[in-house]
Amino acid sequence: ALIPALTATAAMMLAVWVTRSVVPEAWGVRARFAVEVVAGVFGYCGMAWLAHRSRITALVALLKARGSSWAPAATPVASAGAGTP
């Protein structure tokens, strides 16, 4: 179950490494960091989607099927004065 995460992480690392070598230093730290983050997100998500699409779609289907059933059931709370004479 770790293979999808490992391959996606490797793709993210490669995307960030390539981006660091391409983006000029004159852009400043914030701009370079933002571009590296976006490249990492695209690298991770892209690899996960391209290489492990069936697992991702199965996970999304499972999450949709469960819907809001993960939320605890609402339990009615009796007021402090209820049932007292």
Side-chain angles (χ1 to χ4, degrees):
L2 289 177
I3 296 299
L6 291 175
T7 56
T9 300
M12 176 182 63
M13 288 171 37
L14 180 64
V16 171
W17 180 71
V18 168
T19 302
R20 284 184 131 186
S21 64
V22 172
V23 175
E25 298 235 356
W27 281 18
V29 175
R30 290 183 182 136
R32 286 193 328 257
F33 179 70
V35 171
E36 290 170 11
V37 168
V38 170
V41 167
F42 277 108
Y44 190 95
C45 294
M47 175 59 80
W49 183 251
L50 291 175
H52 308 287
R53 183 178 308 183
S54 61
R55 287 183 179 204
I56 292 173
T57 53
L59 176 63
V60 168
L62 175 69
L63 293 174
K64 283 183 179 179
R66 294 201 86 166
S68 63
S69 65
W70 285 6
T75 306
V77 178
S79 64
T84 56

